[in-house]
Amino acid sequence: WVAKLQEAYSSSHRVGDVLNRGYSGYTTRWALLQLPHLIAQTANTPALCTLFFGANDAAVPASSHYVPMEEYQSNLAAMIGMMRSAWPACPIV
C-alpha cells in the first residue's frame, strides 16, 4: 500500500514524498524503542503520519512476537504521544 501512496502523491503532481518507516515483523514493543530515533532523523514535520501495528503483536502467546493487549494499547498510546510531542500539527492515522 505504500507503493500506491508513493505513486499517487509523488508522481506527476509532486505534492509530497511518501516515506515508509516500517519494518517487517516488528511489534509495538520493538517499534516503541525505535521511534525516538526515527523522530530525531526526520528533518521536517510530516504532513501526515500513520501507525499500522497489531498483526505481529497478536501472535499466539507462546511466540516471541506476542504482545499482551494491555501492553499493545500502552505502546500505541506512548508512540502517539511521542509523535504529537515532536510534531503537534501532524495528523496521526
Side-chain angles (χ1 to χ4, degrees):
W1 62 273
V2 174
K4 288 288 188 189
L5 285 175
Q6 289 171 328
E7 181 182 319
Y9 289 97
S10 298
S11 60
S12 61
H13 300 293
R14 195 71 181 152
V15 293
D17 294 320
V18 177
L19 304 173
N20 182 8
R21 298 290 188 241
Y23 299 101
S24 179
Y26 265 52
T27 65
T28 56
R29 183 181 293 148
W30 301 334
L32 185 59
L33 299 173
Q34 292 300 315
L35 187 57
H37 305 287
L38 295 173
I39 289 172
Q41 294 171 3
T42 305
N44 299 313
T45 299
L48 174 72
C49 290
T50 62
L51 284 174
F52 186 73
F53 286 99
N56 293 320
D57 297 73
V60 295
S63 168
S64 64
H65 283 84
Y66 175 71
V67 176
M69 179 62 76
E70 297 78 20
E71 182 182 352
Y72 170 76
Q73 292 170 330
S74 175
N75 292 345
L76 280 180
M79 288 188 282
I80 290 169
M82 286 181 203
M83 294 166 71
R84 283 191 175 143
S85 178
W87 309 305
C90 179
I92 301 169
V93 178

